[in-house]
Amino acid sequence: MTPTHAQAMGTQDAEPLPGDMRRMLLRYMPDAVDEMEEAVRSGLPHYTHLVDGTHGYSLRQIIDRTVSCFVSVHDATRPGSVATAEIIALYERIGARHGRLGCSLDVLRDALDLAGRVACRRLIKDAYRLHWPAPLLATLTEDTFALIKTAVAAASRGYAEERHRAPLDVQRDRLRDALVADPDGRTRSLAELAAAADWRLPGTLAVLALPPGDHPQTHVLPPEVLADRSPAAPYLVLPNPRTPGPRWLPRTVGAALGPVVPPDRGAVSLRWARRGLALVERGALPAAAPLRCVDHVAALTAFRSGDLLEAAAAELLGPLLALPPRRREPLLETLLVYLRCGDNAVLTAYRLHVHEQTVRYRLRQISQLTDGACPDPERHLETMLVLTWLLSPGAADPPAAGGHATAGPAPGTTGASTPARPRRV
């Protein structure tokens, strides 16, 4: 959506706010998003499942994106039309989802009305508390309603375009959405949806999550593959993925293939595919073409349980974590490879490209530092999970014994971070 389109809808660049006031809005934005989400979920409990999962967005992410764009509209360093275009693109996709599911846009208007009331109430409260000029409060309130009007207009256009598409394409998109939805969110059976889409329901399926911006139409795919074309979070539903094999599978570097599951468990495959994709993007997993999540169970499990592994690290590894990185990392790396090699020092040396005596010396150091408690034969699995988490690029710094991580991203999160150096593990 271009700025010209945005202006045609009646939106113009808003007056920029003073920098300190814009920073204040950003500071209180998480609390405002919390309140808006609660208002929509409690006021429209049967609606939120339609919004959750819209092209990879949850209800909270949609509200957060909308509020962020509202603040960006008033940013003197950024053209307001850019933020408006983002809102238009987002709500066109939301409207299209309503069209595919046959859901009226009235409920979307109700949701925006609930969120808008919360926004206005907070703006009024802040205006009185911080002594804003009356014209400023009026401008922000008017801009709130203008943003809602823009969102509704964009959703209406997306809804109308979706309803006018070829009937079979609409049915296939409805089926695709149902295959990756939680069972409780389905209004029709998969068999019924598959029949309407002229699609044979497979015995198994898997979901391939593509990197943002990788459009499915750039790949030559069999007709039975169902594609989500969202530029933000595209994915493919692959029926019977073990049958066709890799001959036609997109060789996109950075893509992640979720586990093979029964057709009513597609949400599981999509969820793990996106978790794998997130770890590829932050450098914690290799950018294969594509990466298979079932080949990286330890890393995926470790990063989903980072807070628990952080607490267990001090108990399992003790004094090793207090060493400086140049001493600690070779010992931890050697221990992990040694456990993976079934306590075979010769194979460990081969995989680490060091001498066998170097491996045995490091193992003696580990035993001395831990008073012989590590490695514990009965706790190999827990130790390997902790080491996998600690040694993965992008992980937090190891906690000191009895302490907490001192730097790096929160364990188990999927946000972007600066990857650490790759390891040979």
Side-chain angles (χ1 to χ4, degrees):
M1 182 60 60
T2 64
T4 302
H5 289 136
Q7 292 173 359
M9 295 181 63
T11 59
Q12 302 292 335
D13 287 359
E15 288 296 325
L17 293 174
D20 55 346
M21 186 167 293
R22 188 161 40 82
R23 286 190 292 272
M24 184 274 297
L25 289 176
L26 289 171
R27 186 166 62 249
Y28 291 112
M29 193 176 80
D31 291 338
V33 171
D34 286 341
E35 192 173 342
M36 291 179 189
E37 181 185 13
E38 176 59 28
V40 175
R41 289 195 183 277
S42 60
L44 300 167
H46 301 297
Y47 168 65
T48 54
H49 75 277
L50 293 176
V51 180
D52 283 332
T54 299
H55 294 273
Y57 288 107
S58 66
L59 173 64
R60 179 178 180 80
Q61 289 171 321
I62 290 173
I63 295 174
D64 182 80
R65 188 70 247 147
T66 304
V67 175
S68 296
C69 287
F70 175 79
V71 177
S72 296
V73 165
H74 300 85
D75 187 347
T77 65
R78 186 187 189 202
S81 56
V82 174
T84 302
E86 290 182 18
I87 287 292
I88 291 171
L90 172 60
Y91 280 89
E92 282 181 342
R93 294 196 292 270
I94 294 174
R97 181 174 176 82
H98 282 65
R100 285 194 299 274
L101 298 177
C103 176
S104 170
L105 285 182
D106 290 341
V107 69
L108 172 62
R109 295 187 183 94
D110 292 341
L112 287 168
D113 180 63
L114 285 171
R117 281 190 236 165
V118 171
C120 290
R121 185 167 65 247
R122 291 185 65 94
L123 287 172
I124 292 171
K125 183 172 69 174
D126 288 341
Y128 279 103
R129 181 169 58 89
L130 301 173
H131 308 291
W132 290 354
L136 176 61
L137 174 60
T139 297
L140 290 175
T141 303
E142 290 173 3
D143 289 345
T144 299
F145 288 111
L147 186 65
I148 292 174
K149 181 180 178 181
T150 297
V152 170
S156 298
R157 182 164 53 257
Y159 182 90
E161 290 176 356
E162 184 66 27
R163 300 292 282 181
H164 284 89
R165 290 176 59 207
L168 190 60
D169 288 341
V170 173
Q171 296 295 342
R172 286 172 66 88
D173 283 354
R174 288 177 179 172
L175 171 64
R176 179 205 63 213
D177 291 347
L179 287 168
V180 298
D182 290 320
D184 293 342
R186 298 187 188 124
T187 58
R188 299 166 62 188
S189 71
L190 292 179
E192 182 183 359
L193 290 167
D198 193 21
W199 194 78
R200 178 176 296 180
L201 199 63
T204 60
L205 60 82
V207 178
L208 180 71
L210 299 170
D214 187 343
H215 202 289
Q217 289 182 349
T218 62
H219 304 288
V220 179
L221 302 172
E224 63 269 18
V225 172
L226 304 178
D228 184 290
R229 296 169 292 277
S230 164
Y235 65 87
L236 305 176
V237 177
L238 316 178
N240 295 319
R242 292 194 180 99
T243 301
R247 296 189 305 275
W248 58 269
L249 194 65
R251 307 302 295 171
T252 301
V253 174
L257 181 65
V260 177
V261 295
D264 62 344
R265 300 279 288 167
V268 173
S269 188
L270 176 60
R271 183 159 55 246
W272 284 107
R274 283 181 169 160
R275 287 171 181 172
L277 186 66
L279 292 183
V280 170
E281 290 175 347
R282 62 186 289 184
L285 287 178
L291 175 134
R292 285 166 32 96
C293 289
V294 293
D295 294 337
H296 301 274
V297 172
L300 284 164
T301 303
F303 272 85
R304 289 300 299 174
S305 309
D307 50 354
L308 178 61
L309 295 178
E310 179 183 352
E315 178 182 344
L316 290 170
L317 302 174
L320 293 177
L321 303 181
L323 298 174
R326 63 181 179 82
R327 290 192 58 201
R328 178 184 67 232
E329 292 187 4
L331 296 181
L332 297 181
E333 185 177 22
T334 299
L335 179 57
L336 176 57
V337 177
Y338 179 71
L339 295 177
R340 286 179 174 173
C341 292
D343 299 354
N344 187 319
V346 176
L347 184 56
T348 301
Y350 174 78
R351 291 191 176 179
L352 289 177
H353 308 290
V354 298
H355 196 277
E356 177 187 344
Q357 293 305 317
T358 301
V359 172
R360 298 191 185 281
Y361 172 71
R362 291 175 181 175
L363 292 173
R364 286 196 298 271
Q365 282 188 299
I366 293 170
S367 181
Q368 291 169 1
L369 287 167
T370 61
D371 293 327
C374 185
D376 183 348
E378 295 185 356
R379 305 196 70 178
H380 274 195
L381 178 59
E382 295 98 315
T383 304
M384 289 174 67
L385 284 173
V386 168
L387 290 168
T388 298
W389 174 67
L390 289 174
L391 293 172
S392 294
D397 286 346
H404 300 280
T406 57
T413 61
T414 56
S417 63
T418 302
R421 65 174 179 86
R423 305 180 188 279
R424 296 170 296 179
V425 179

